[in-house]
Amino acid sequence: MEPQPKSDRQGRRERYRPQEIEPRWRRRWDEDRLYEASIDPARTKCYCLTMLPYPSGDLHIGHWYAMTPSDARARFKRMQGYNVMFPIGFDAFGLPAENAAIRRNVHPKEWTYRNIDAMRRQLRTMGAMWDWRREAVSSDPEYYRWTQWFFLKLWQHGLAYRKEAAVDFCPNCNTTLAREQVQGDDRHCERCDTPVVKKRLAQWFFRITDFAEELLDFSKIDWPERVRTLQTHWIGRSEGAEVVFRTSPPQDRGGRGEEGGEAIPIFTTRPDTLWGATFMVLAPEHPLVERVTSEEQRTAVREYVEQTLRQSDIQREAADQEKTGVATGGYAVNPVNQERIPIWIADYVLMTYGTGAIMAVPAHDQRDFQFARRYGLEIRPVIEPERAGGTERGEPGAGSASDAHGADGAMTAAIEERGTMIDSGPLTGTPADQAVARTVAWLEEQGVGRGAVSYRLHDWLISRQRYWGAPIPMIHCEMCGPQPVPEPLLPVVLPDDIEWRPTGESPLKYHPTWKHVACPSCGGAAERETDTMDTFMCSSWYQYRYLSPHWSEGPWDPSELEYWTPVDTYTGGIEHATMHLIYTRFFTKALHRMGLVSFDEPMLQLRNQGTILGEDSEKMSKSRGKVVAPDELVGQYGADTVRAYLMFFARWEQGGPWSSSGIEGVARWLQRVWSLVAEEAPGGADVKSDDERALRRRVHQTIQRVTRDFEGFEFNTVISSLMELTNALVAARNAGLSGSPAFAEGVDALVRMTAPVAPHLAEELWALLGRPYSIHHQRWPEADAEAARAEEFTLVVQVNGKVRDRVAVPVDTEEEAVRMIALGLESVQRHLENRTLRKMIYVPGRLINLVT
């Protein structure tokens, strides 16, 4: 048992000194291994997890804002009787840590591990119930051995592949980026804000698109609506048809073409407009452009391609930008009518949407229409809308009628749904509201197309031309092609002795020996893959490594996996909705498909915290020197005060501007909580049963509210309710109730409910009360519904919807009696004079409205 604080001559115990109390209890908890979680089949598990930090510098107040309320809720679940695991680790590979090291001219490994040491110390000052025995660091070889192992599993199951592709490249970070990591209207790097450029490189991808439908199914998880909406939009499911046009031989100058040539697959949400396609458009970077371009047009096409690729995708798609293009001199054959139509390239068609090729239907698509008008191309309507409110023949409908180049076909379909198909071969005369379905059926009957679904989602590009990442465990052999590193040779260890600064190519390419290796298949000379993996690969599976971070026989101990997974509650920022949160869902679904886990969702419940802004309401930024350092606040007020203030100053899921002055009020509250236990109460007085009953009612109503709000992540109202109970207990003590059972019960409940919020203070007060160590082993207080039941409620009385009075009414008052009470109020009678009462509307327990 910890030594009890001494009393002074005035009967006061030692003052509340968090700087002395907090380190003492943290040492005791560590020595007793209080927070180590172990498998216990007799108890219900609760795997609580908060997003692991990047070790790119000191912890800032944003880390605390994410982590300490999450810790408080994990503690609450523990006191409810759950077997809670709450681990921590470091997402140590990748651009954030590496860029910070580059700015300081320090080797990324040295910088990363130095920061991890500092951040461990800072994390411990939180007093969080981290299970440090389970710490995992993604840049440790014993961790990334299994990151590489997972890559090989994805490769073996056809879910990893390498291809040459036009990719987004950040010229500042000197690396490719996944589409999810390119942000904003100006398409900038989400790490450094530099505008990206296009490069054509051979890169590694994961087939996340194979899981698009599964990723759209949120039925098994309790995730915020906003995250589900963001992921649904990002995946971008569209129904329509897939149709293959083919290039036409240049010598065929007739009006009709023969099938043959190279395939140009397109996806369209409006197959009913196929007969209105009068030209095709390829994205300037489409691989077919060179092959379909005639000699006469080659110079013009190449100049246009170079010009277009200097623009961002957002500029090319902008509705107010004039659409430009160049004829290739090539032709394609429309498979529904065998017409030969010209192929153009244009800036408004992108390789990143659909197939990078569209059929242009200018009569039914605004952008196609503008393009056709500019270049004198044919406009052929094939849907005749009804005259009432319809568009004039020859003008396009609003929005997109056909293809996957970023526009939305819903508006056109709505305009034309009461029309009729015209000039559409065998489907002429089909009602427009049946046209899409009938056209798809006809395409399939004729063998020229099929119903299809397209997605905005692209496969996940994981290659990075950087040093500080997990090496991709593949070997390139001229004879055998790409070969996986044999599993017994994992991990492929990242070398330390290297010129690690990025140059646009992987620094691993220039190591004198590292990349040279024998082919595992033929034994001949070969080279390792020198790209490293996107750091999001590491964080897509880290929740599984926490189960057994030093297990060497596999990525996890199977018994730990069976007991603890999936994660029950996950917390972190919504900014990861279309990056980490979609990647980790894909990863678990892939593991499930491969038979490695028995479930297909990684986290059953997700909750997002908001963002702490600076006092100027701008986002905190290290680069601008606008970061609140929690160490200073802890030194001044103690960790418990900082924890409580972060839970109190704003709604957790919303965040808000930081106010340095507001913490003083929380510090005073904790001092009052201390005083209730540590200071002797004033002399006794006669205790009235009504006063005791009222105090018990307040205590048990608070238990009800705080329990509900902890479950709902409403941390600010948890603190406000505890503050109100503290004030009620102080008033009761001053009124002489300190010796009553109701007061003792209230103090006991207050200290227990404060334990998740201020764990050090609660532990100290629990010891002062003479209770058995530790309060964090105690059960959460249970509310007595009968004791919490109010005896009265405040009846709001309205006349014609306007409040005229309020009156206290016993809770069991019958409705007729409530009406009589309302009618008897003088304030109400004044507003009823010379009026006829038509009806009375009573909302039980709340209000009554008298309508005249």
Side-chain angles (χ1 to χ4, degrees), residues 324-392:
T324 65
V326 171
T328 66
Y331 288 81
V333 177
N334 186 335
V336 302
N337 57 16
Q338 296 304 301
E339 285 189 4
R340 193 165 175 269
I341 58 177
I343 301 174
W344 287 65
I345 59 172
D347 52 8
Y348 72 98
V349 178
L350 309 174
M351 277 304 297
T352 50
Y353 291 97
T355 64
I358 69 163
M359 63 173 195
V361 186
H364 303 282
D365 182 277
Q366 189 64 41
R367 288 187 295 185
D368 294 347
F369 176 77
Q370 292 170 351
F371 192 85
R373 276 273 181 93
R374 175 169 183 173
Y375 294 104
L377 298 168
E378 181 186 357
I379 299 171
R380 182 192 302 169
V382 291
I383 302 288
E384 182 68 56
E386 288 186 357
R387 281 291 171 264
T391 57
E392 183 181 341

Side-chain angles (χ1 to χ4, degrees), residues 386-404:
E386 288 186 357
R387 281 291 171 264
T391 57
E392 183 181 341
R393 186 180 174 108
E395 292 291 319
S400 166
S402 56
D403 303 302

